[in-house]
Amino acid sequence: MRNFKVTSFILLMITFTIPAYLTGQEKGSWRKYESPVLGGGDLGTIFDISVLKEDGIYKMYCSWRPKKSLALSTSTDGINWSSPEIILAPNSKTYWEEEVNRPIVVKKGNIYHMWYTGQAQSKYSWIGYATSIDGINFKRMSDKPVISAEEEWEKVAVMCPHVIWDEKENLFKMWYSGGDQYEPDAIGYATSPDGLNWTKQKTPVFDADPDNVWEQHKVTACQVVKRENDYLMFYIGFRNLHYAQIGMARSKNGIDRWERYSGNPIIAPTPGKWDADACYKPYAIQEKDRWILWYNGRNKTLEQIGVAFYNKHTLDF
C-alpha cells in the first residue's frame, strides 16, 4: 500500500511538471505549444518571422504590422520573447517601401544579411536587401528592389524571401513567393554571388498540387534547409484563399523533382483556438535533440506567432 502511494505521488508530480508542449508527445510527431508566444494585446499582429540562434539566444526577426516595420525579439527558450524593437522602418524616399515586412536574416562571416519585402499602395510587393554588423542596425544596400515582379507568373508581387549561403557553390540561393498581392501563388528561385544582383528562374520551381486538397489552391512562403543529401522545404499549402496549413517537401537540388511528405500537413489549425483559421509561414531550427518550428497562427483577423516541437534530432523524412 505504501509503495502504491509513493508511486502514485511520483506519477502525479510528473504529470504536473511536464511542460505543456510535451504533454502527450510521441517521438516522430509535431506537437504545438498551447498558446501564442508573440503578438496580440498591445503589440497587435506579429507575422512572418525568421529566427537565428546565437550563443544560446534565439533572435526572432519579425513583421510588426501596426508599425509597418521589421522588428527583433529575443528569447532563451523559444517560448518567452522580449518586446519587439524596430530594426528597419518604412522608407518614404523610395516608391516601394511604404511598409516593410517578411524578412529573412542570414549571418555570413561577421555580417548579417537581410532580405525583406517592401510594399506600396497595398497593391504591389518587391524584395529589398540590407546588411548589419550587429544584427540590429541595418543599412539598405540599394534604394531599388533586388527582386521585382517581371515574369508573367509573378503578376504584381514578389515577397517572402528565404535565402541560404551555399559555401560549396559560393552563391546565395533564394526561394521566394510570387503572384497575387493578398496571397502569392507559387514559389520561385534565384541565385546571387553578392546578395544584390540576382538571376531568376523564369518559371516557378514549386506549384500547388491540385490532387492534394489541403494545398490545391496555392503554395507559398517556404523555408529551405540544406541537408547532407537534399534540400528540405517547409511551406504553406492553401486549401482555399483563407485556410492554410504547413507541409514538407524535399529535392535533391532544391530546384525540381520535389517529393511531398506523405504525412502532410504537419501543422494544421486547431478548431476554437488562437490559430483556428490558418497556420502560415513556418521557420524551423534543428537542435541537438529536437526541431523547433515557429509559425503564424490566425483567428479571424489577428495573426500571432506560435511554436511546435518535434522530439527527435532527425526528421522521419
Side-chain angles (χ1 to χ4, degrees):
M1 188 65 144
R2 186 183 196 178
N3 289 340
F4 174 76
K5 287 182 178 179
V6 172
T7 302
S8 298
F9 176 75
I10 292 172
L11 288 174
L12 185 64
M13 289 300 293
I14 290 173
T15 300
F16 281 102
T17 55
I18 293 175
Y21 66 85
L22 290 180
T23 303
Q25 181 164 2
E26 300 172 2
K27 286 193 173 183
S29 61
W30 292 93
R31 289 291 181 269
K32 292 195 286 185
Y33 189 67
E34 60 189 355
S35 57
V37 298
L38 188 64
D42 293 338
L43 296 178
T45 287
I46 302 287
F47 68 106
D48 286 15
I49 53 88
S50 170
V51 182
L52 292 180
K53 187 177 184 182
E54 294 185 296
D55 300 323
I57 302 297
Y58 299 98
K59 299 179 178 181
M60 180 180 286
Y61 295 89
C62 63
S63 306
W64 194 359
R65 182 167 289 157
K67 304 294 185 181
K68 300 181 179 181
S69 299
L70 298 174
L72 173 64
S73 293
T74 60
S75 171
T76 57
D77 61 7
I79 296 173
N80 299 286
W81 293 88
S82 65
S83 295
E85 296 185 10
I86 293 174
I87 58 166
L88 196 73
N91 186 1
S92 61
K93 296 180 181 179
T94 63
Y95 62 89
W96 58 281
E97 296 174 289
E98 290 177 4
E99 53 188 287
V100 291
N101 50 51
R102 298 169 172 87
I104 175 66
V105 178
V106 175
K107 189 176 184 185
K108 176 178 174 284
N110 295 319
I111 303 296
Y112 294 84
H113 301 260
M114 180 170 70
W115 295 266
Y116 61 95
T117 303
Q119 298 184 314
Q121 305 172 45
S122 299
K123 294 181 179 179
Y124 307 99
S125 292
W126 297 262
I127 294 173
Y129 175 45
T131 63
S132 170
I133 59 173
D134 60 8
I136 301 171
N137 299 289
F138 280 87
K139 178 183 178 182
R140 289 171 168 89
M141 301 307 293
S142 173
D143 60 358
K144 297 178 181 178
V146 297
I147 301 277
S148 301
E150 300 159 328
E151 306 300 333
E152 184 177 353
W153 74 272
E154 295 169 336
K155 297 180 182 177
V156 297
V158 288
M159 62 177 77
C160 303
H162 179 79
V163 180
I164 65 172
W165 170 252
D166 192 313
E167 291 277 0
K168 189 174 181 180
E169 297 184 41
N170 288 314
L171 279 177
F172 287 109
K173 297 181 176 180
M174 178 191 291
W175 293 261
Y176 65 95
S177 301
D180 292 330
Q181 172 75 351
Y182 180 66
E183 294 293 355
D185 303 303
I187 294 169
Y189 176 73
T191 59
S192 171
D194 58 10
L196 193 61
N197 300 287
W198 292 86
T199 301
K200 294 192 291 185
Q201 293 271 111
K202 296 293 185 182
T203 56
V205 296
F206 196 75
D207 291 291
D209 182 351
D211 294 327
N212 283 332
V213 174
W214 80 275
E215 60 158 290
Q216 64 186 354
H217 187 54
K218 298 170 182 272
V219 291
T220 69
C222 69
Q223 176 201 9
V224 176
V225 179
K226 191 176 189 299
R227 301 193 291 191
E228 185 176 353
N229 297 312
D230 63 10
Y231 291 79
L232 173 68
M233 176 190 286
F234 297 92
Y235 67 98
I236 307 173
F238 285 83
R239 188 173 71 191
N240 55 50
L241 188 57
H242 302 290
Y243 192 83
Q245 300 170 89
I246 294 169
M248 297 189 299
R250 62 187 177 189
S251 164
K252 289 295 185 183
N253 60 11
I255 302 171
D256 56 18
R257 298 182 183 180
W258 289 95
E259 173 194 356
R260 264 95 167 164
Y261 175 54
S262 61
N264 283 341
I266 61 169
I267 307 288
T270 301
K273 299 297 184 179
W274 67 275
D275 61 356
D277 292 329
C279 293
Y280 298 107
K281 194 61 171 66
Y283 197 96
I285 288 181
Q286 184 182 30
E287 301 203 312
K288 189 183 302 182
D289 57 352
R290 64 180 181 174
W291 283 74
I292 309 178
L293 185 152
W294 295 269
Y295 66 97
N296 300 2
R298 179 173 61 81
N299 188 330
K300 297 180 180 177
T301 60
L302 178 62
E303 286 187 46
Q304 300 172 84
I305 302 302
V307 64
F309 297 85
Y310 184 92
N311 199 27
K312 290 173 65 176
H313 174 73
T314 304
L315 294 173
D316 295 323
F317 180 57

